[in-house]
Amino acid sequence: MNERGSLLAQPLQRPSAGRTLLYVALFVLGAVVGAAGSLVQAGWFPGGLLLALAGEAGLCLGGARATGSRGGAVAPAAGWMIAVILLTASRPEGDFLFGAGGGSYLFLLGGMAVAVICATLGQGRQPVGRDVRLGK
């Protein structure tokens, strides 16, 4: 058996500086993809909508694979969501980026669904070693 015990019994540790920097970079990339997607989805509907959602899915799944954890999918999804929510708010001048149309709502709801799906499909923490199977 593993000398450190169960993975769930291990104390939480602060992530390394490199991992923290990677999460911050994924967060910023998520915000950029959200801002770019909000412009593309209305400009080339329906192809732009599919392109924007595919870009978000690729970033979230790529982040999960790069970090080896679900946090790598959650960081860009959080950046995407914050950017999109900030872009939906109207300014005091009355300007806004999203129109009240079906494509905008599909982008908002579809992007949230893509983020949840990618975070669910992302790899969770798995025990390592040769005695990882139960019953051994």
Side-chain angles (χ1 to χ4, degrees):
M1 183 160 174
N2 189 358
E3 64 274 354
R4 295 180 57 195
S6 170
L7 186 63
L8 296 174
Q10 300 301 316
L12 293 176
Q13 298 175 4
R14 179 172 290 163
S16 67
R19 184 172 284 272
T20 303
L21 187 62
L22 183 60
Y23 285 137
V24 169
L26 286 171
F27 180 84
V28 171
L29 278 174
V32 169
V33 167
S38 65
L39 297 172
V40 169
Q41 62 90 19
W44 296 327
F45 189 79
L49 174 65
L50 296 174
L51 181 66
L53 294 177
E56 181 197 4
L59 178 62
C60 290
L61 287 176
R65 177 150 307 195
T67 61
S69 69
R70 287 189 176 109
V74 172
W80 182 92
M81 196 166 302
I82 289 173
V84 169
I85 287 174
L86 289 176
L87 290 173
T88 60
S90 63
R91 296 180 27 190
E93 296 88 17
D95 298 337
F96 57 90
L97 193 59
F98 286 97
S104 297
Y105 291 119
L106 282 174
F107 177 67
L108 292 171
L109 296 175
M112 289 181 206
V114 165
V116 169
I117 290 169
C118 291
T120 304
L121 291 177
Q123 298 174 345
R125 292 188 343 167
Q126 297 292 322
V128 294
R130 54 179 201 100
D131 296 332
V132 296
R133 292 183 61 195
L134 296 176
K136 277 196 164 185

